[in-house]
Amino acid sequence: MTFDSSFLLSIVTFAYLAASLAYICLLVFKTKFFGPAGTVLTLITLAAHTGAIIWRWVESYQLGIGHAPFSNLYESLIFFAWAITFLYQIMERIYKNHVIGAFVMPLAFLSLAYAGLQPKEIHPLVPALKSNWLIAHVITCFLAYAGFAVSAGLALILLLPRGRESISNLASRLPATGTLDSLIYQNIAFGFILLTAGIITGSIWAQQAWGSYWSWDPKETWSLVTWLVYAAVLHARMVKGWAGKRMAVMSLIGFASVLFTYFGVNLILSGLHSYAT
Amino acid sequence: MGNKTPTDQVIDFFASVKLALTLLIILAIASIAGTFVPQTLSPGEALQRYGPQLTSFFYYLDLFDMYHSWWFNILLGFLLLNLIVCSFNRFPKTLKLARTVSGERVKPGFLKKQPFSFQILRPGSPQDNLAPVREEIKRGFSKPREKATTWGILLLTQKGAFSRFGAYVIHSSLIFILIGSLIGHYRGFNAFLNLAEGQTTNQVILKNSGEIALPFEVRLDRFHLKRYPSGAPSEYRSDLTIIENNRVVRKASVKVNHPFTYRGVTFYQHSYDSLPADGWGLRLIRKTDNKAFDLQVTPNRPNMLPDRSGTFLVLDYAQDLGRSGPAVRLLVRMNKTKDYAVWVFKNPFQLINYNPRYRTGLQANKDPGIWFIWTGFGLMLAGCLITFFFSHQKLYLGLIPEGNNTRVIIGGSAHRNQGSFKIKFDKLTEILNSNPSESKDLKT
Ligand code: HEM
């Protein structure tokens, strides 16, 4: 086994698992120590993760086919995990609550674990993928997906039954419903802006590459569905005052649509975005 | 509701956000359906897949071209109508909200009822008490307006009122995008053309059906195919010349992701293939005496072997067979043995020259609506930024003389991002709370 960026990423995967466990321990046992431990572990791992992405970029240049590491399912999953961790860390800095990590960091771990199952070779880019709009498209879309992922994690916390005996002990450590509600909304708003930017950059790229900014390809259509769902969520909140549990449920529905856009379309439907083949 | 006229009821219906939510969800569900029903099925395939009854039902609903169907367009039309009516309906209210409230209504009670509010009794005159917080207010808000009222001095100020109009910007962007797509649909075209090297044409084939003539001619000078070391294609490039009235007016290269536009028609590199060249040079070596014969081969016709022991025909040609370079496949017909087919490679040196003529596949599109689309995209992003990253914050400051002291009341509100407003507000209250030297000689 050579020590390359993929190897470093498999270490990063296990480090995220450890960080997730630390956050979960904080939730289950009251020991304060686990909070900062999870944070420190996550931050170190995030640095290594960033390094590994840059390393993979360099490796592609060493192969003489240099391109940004955002070109296949493996690379997109790595960036997805990076974006989730990055967003979560920002949130943790602002809200100083470590417990949320127990619900968010496992998502980063799962994304990397799934990446571990994908082919890892660096392939030269087909001509259609050689575009700076592609880089903008992938970065915006996956930051959006990360925002929606974090909001779904928060939604799960909000939906935990708080009244019960077994949970009430946990509940004392969970953020207040009001805080969760506003965090869910902020992450959805963040995701909505970036998804808008992602669809727009994707359209511009499609117009340049294929001469058509919109062609109702299944992946495009599903991203529009996701966008419509979150637009509905924003209106329901802004104008109808939806909040709390309703927002949480809508956030989970929206995230289900994200997951289908990301994975389901590749597995079940076919189209231009044949990441996973 | 009872005494509303029918017109009002219709307007209310089209202005309602409930309708918007319903339409957004129906559109989402319909879009999903279209990803599961294949959109490019031929009638025969459809019959096989769904049977006659379901097929005719699907055709009735245009399900095989759903996104262009009458009912999908009606849904989009409703959404737009909803948007426009709702925007006009709400605009006066938004305008009103975008201003600070002033006049008789603003009394100490009004200030206390604001979402954020604070009061304190401080020594000194109203003007003295304004001094400490003045800088802080200046930093965070626009210059306050000062008003003398029956109960004291009122200062009102605000920030970020434009943020209330973000949603209007987003909504109008959708109208731009719709107009752009309509213009593209009615005034534009999608066509393609295949050009062999050296060939000139002004005819393009429309995607839907038929041909049209461009007002100028296009010539393919050369087609280049670049490869990675692995053999996978890295770049397709067509070198084009535009000819107008028999004069060369432009030369341009079209690559994937690098289209070229001339007089509103944009050319995109789409595909390529290669035509049999005029001939291949082939060196044949006779096994019995190693004698070499060089000959020129004509495609599509049997060629005589040099010693007349048989004939051969070029069956096929490949630019890169099994990553071993160009090759031609020959069907050899000897006088004595059975026919056999064989691939002959350029390496090792039997095929002397191989220069196929490339043919490029270009897309030629015209979309006069594209600038509406780009404008719509720009407005949508700008609208999102205005809506989500700014908030309309209002601050009222009341200074009420009470003997030698002044009661300072502040009230404020933010229409979103209350968190960041709270930080500002707390700063103000902190300043008003501190100043221990002055609080000491407070006479109550
Ligand atoms: C695809 C279609 C639409 C999109 C993408 C969209 C987008 C948005 C966004 C992003 C906001 C800001 C939400 C927030 O502040 O959290 C908003 C606000 C709003 N939208 Fe839409 N919208 C759409 C259609 C509609 C329709 C059809 C209506 C018609 C009733 C509507 C009515 C409103 C209203 C009333 C607001 C609140 C405005 C305010 O007072 O700030 N929207 N819209």
Side-chain angles (χ1 to χ4, degrees), chain B residues 27 35 51 85 90-91 121 129 146 150 192 196 223 229 239 255 259 267 327 334 344 361 371 383 431:
Chain B
L27 275 169
T35 65
V85 176
R90 281 178 83 97
F91 197 71
L121 190 67
N129 277 295
E146 209 172 309
T150 49
F192 60 90
F223 180 82
D239 292 343
K255 294 189 281 186
F267 294 92
M334 302 290 280
V344 182
W371 286 103
I431 295 172

Side-chain angles (χ1 to χ4, degrees), chain A residues 65 124-125 127-128 130-131 185 189 193 196 200 203 205 207-211 213 216 221-222 225 232 234 239 269, chain B residues 17 21 24 28 31-32 35 67 72 181 228 233-234 236 256-257 259 268 363 365 367 370 373-374 377 380 388 416:
Chain A
I65 49 174
L125 286 184
K130 285 200 222 165
S131 166
Y185 169 66
I193 298 172
T196 307
I200 287 177
S203 287
W205 172 39
Q207 176 72 20
Q208 285 206 338
W210 296 290
Y213 53 85
W216 295 104
T221 308
W222 269 94
V225 169
L234 289 179
V239 189
L269 311 167
Chain B
V17 176
L21 290 178
L24 290 175
S31 300
I32 291 174
T35 65
Y67 304 111
F72 199 77
S181 70
Y228 292 107
S234 84
Y236 309 119
V256 182
N257 275 313
Y268 302 87
Q363 224 169 294
N365 293 357
D367 188 351
I370 198 74
I373 304 285
W374 297 158
F377 283 177
M380 187 179 289
F388 292 110
R416 64 170 62 238

Side-chain angles (χ1 to χ4, degrees), chain A residues 185 189 192 196 227-228 231-235 237-239, chain B residues 14-21 23-24 27 78-87 90 94 97 163-168 170-171 174 380 383-384 387-388 415-416:
Chain A
Y185 169 66
F192 185 78
T196 307
W227 188 73
L228 290 171
V233 174
L234 289 179
H235 285 89
R237 184 187 180 89
M238 181 78 187
V239 189
Chain B
F14 279 108
S16 77
V17 176
K18 213 186 228 162
L19 178 65
L21 290 178
L23 287 171
L24 290 175
L27 275 169
F78 265 66
L79 187 74
L80 232 68
L81 189 63
N82 186 195
L83 201 67
I84 293 168
V85 176
C86 169
S87 297
R90 281 178 83 97
T94 309
L97 281 170
S163 154
R164 294 219 181 243
F165 298 95
Y168 293 90
I170 298 174
H171 292 155
L174 293 165
M380 187 179 289
C384 278
T387 304
F388 292 110
H415 95 303
R416 64 170 62 238

